[in-house]
Amino acid sequence: MAETPQGQGQETLSNLLQESRSFPPPADLAADANVQADAYDAASADRLRFWEDQARRLQWEQPWSNVLDWNPPFAEWFTGGKLNAAVNCVDRHVDAGRGERVAFHWEGEPGDTRTITYADLKDMVCQAANALTELGVGKGDRVAIYMPMIPETVVAMLACARIGAVHMVVFGGFSVDALGTRLDDSEAKLVVTSDGGYRRGKPSSLKPAVDEAVRDRPAVENVLVVRRTGQDVEWNEGRDVWWHDIVDRQPTEHAAEAHDSEHPLYIMYTSGTTAKPKGILHTTGGYLTQVSYTHWAVFDLKPETDVFWTAADIGWVTGHSYIVYGPLSNGATSVMYEGTPDTPHKGRFWEIVQKYGVTIAYMAPTAIRTFMKWGEEYPAQFDLSSLRVLGSVGEPINPEAYMWYRTHIGGGRTPIVDTWWQTETGAIMVTPMPGITHGKPGAAMQPIPGVDADVVDESGESVPRGQGGFIVIREPWPSMLRGIWGDPERYKKTYWSRFDGLYFPGDGAKRDEDGDLWLLGRVDDVMLVSGHNISTTEVESALVAHANVAEAAVTGASDPVTGQAIVAFVILRSEAGEGGAGLVKELREHVAAHLGPIAKPRQILVVPELPKTRSGKIMRRLLKDVAENRELGDVSTLTDAQSIQTLQEAFQESG
Ligand code: 6R9
């Protein structure tokens, strides 16, 4: 995430990519869709009233007295109201007689499974809440959760929410350093972890990283350890506690206190490129309102019949909002999968869709491009006819990846919702609605009802149709971040200083001739080539549109002639072979033909892998380091630190 987002380029983005394909919603879905056009009318007529209506989806123990208190840039929603997030996600459904409904079909990577109903989940959450209390965790305390994708991760989060403790989930697999800085900043007193989890067919360990991180951090009083793999762990007597020892013996009853609407629910750290990571704070009532609404609206959720699957990690905000709080607050049935998509075979995701009859699937473009690279023969082996809505999140989806997803996963029938949002926004902000919006490959289309997003130029003026600029949010929204943990000044400076009175997320965007929005990536990634601002996204999408390319990452490297020059790294589709000079030349011409000669890359390097964060975002700043022959910056949030070194060597060899 950008430190201080600023439009480094002095003019607005060039608008290079053309797209004329458009898909209307399927008639049956449209006829019965949760969201119809009147939702937009209602929200624009009275935005606060609209959100108040959405807040009524939840169970409040005490009604709010005020919908919004807005002291820019600090917002409070539903003040005076009291509710409990865990009760809303669990007890409420059991009390309404839906205890036997499955909350999670959990699938372990080795093939072991667990079916967890809402009644089961309620017992587990109550027991865990009692255990946390026994360990001395109280309201307002911070609890770090460093776990694999297992049900206890969800249980630990909800147990915190239940007692009013603030959870702080760290991706299992982040380095000891990354975990340590987050423990320091949040001053967590408990770490919940496990011996390990399964990834790529092997048990991987988690506990040793916690041991190392906690060694010099006396603020952490206990480490609560779930046994998942059964591997040996070192044990620190007096500090470490087995989950099965303390949780399993607790009563399955727990009286939940109602918390203030603005009571902190969780902190989630966004990586921060060079500086200290930012602890993004979310609170209870507004956050739950918007995740609940968007999960129902954007995915057209029918809780009685749908099987929903967010194929992402809980350590990413996408997992918080659309594995845990959205689906559970709506009483939905979800799939949760522990492992990697190619274990034990490259059709594992599609096998899971077939096995559980998944109707709605939500994943990142990086996953889709990986499946493109592997080839369509893998999904073709499975029955995917249960799918009715597909979603994308995390990066701009390249038009070709969109087409592949729609064709080979969605059978040419399913609408695709390209959902733009951030850790900071808490919930989906810009997206098509599957029952009413025509889908355009690559476009996130329109702000949801109740969100006032716009595209502005350098001086903060709305741009006309057909122009690029910066996306901003004009009015506060319920699930917005409430600040950066412990640093209100940084909150103001990072998000509210670029444009007076507007929230600036740090992304470039354009408004097309129809008035629809296209998100073009981080403005820090925008390249300035011979005086033109060109978005990395557009060049990447042009490359991916070539039949031999599965994935592309583009960066600007300093150049004596053009200021910056475009350097591209591409991964080929498996059927394309090795590449070679002929292909590279062809790709350069292909980009020029698509976007114009100004966007022709100076260099294109064919590589086996790209540096990515755990949520699948390409780390372009590292590619820039490579392309400018610099020492690499912070790599602590990278999935695979080796891949960037291999790439660096390849680049140096290429001269
Ligand atoms: C949910 C999430 C946020 C950044 C955001 C933007 C990029 C996410 C996108 C998208 C284009 C989409 N992003 N979704 N760009 N189209 N549909 O990803 O949160 O990890 O905080 O990242 O991701 O650049 O600013 P987070």
Side-chain angles (χ1 to χ4, degrees), residues 316 393-396 418-423 507 519 522 617:
W316 182 22
V393 56
E395 284 187 295
D418 172 14
T419 62
W420 176 86
W421 58 293
Q422 316 175 284
T423 305
D507 283 5
L519 276 302
R522 311 292 306 163
K617 292 190 200 337

Side-chain angles (χ1 to χ4, degrees), residues 403-419:
M403 290 307 298
W404 191 93
Y405 195 28
R406 186 179 156 93
T407 310
H408 297 292
I409 307 305
R413 318 173 299 282
T414 56
I416 293 177
V417 290
D418 172 14
T419 62

Side-chain angles (χ1 to χ4, degrees), residues 227-289:
R227 182 177 281 154
R228 162 65 182 135
T229 59
Q231 62 200 305
D232 283 340
V233 290
E234 280 192 21
W235 206 251
N236 185 315
E237 221 43 71
R239 184 197 73 191
D240 298 348
V241 186
W242 281 113
W243 178 283
H244 54 259
D245 279 344
I246 189 166
V247 176
D248 292 0
R249 64 175 164 76
Q250 301 292 333
T252 54
E253 301 297 317
H254 176 271
E257 178 194 340
H259 304 295
D260 286 340
S261 177
E262 283 297 336
H263 185 69
L265 181 63
Y266 69 81
I267 303 169
M268 161 129 269
Y269 285 84
T270 62
S271 49
T273 40
T274 46
K276 178 172 125 184
K278 300 187 283 285
I280 303 302
L281 176 67
H282 284 291
T283 60
T284 310
Y287 172 79
L288 211 56
T289 296

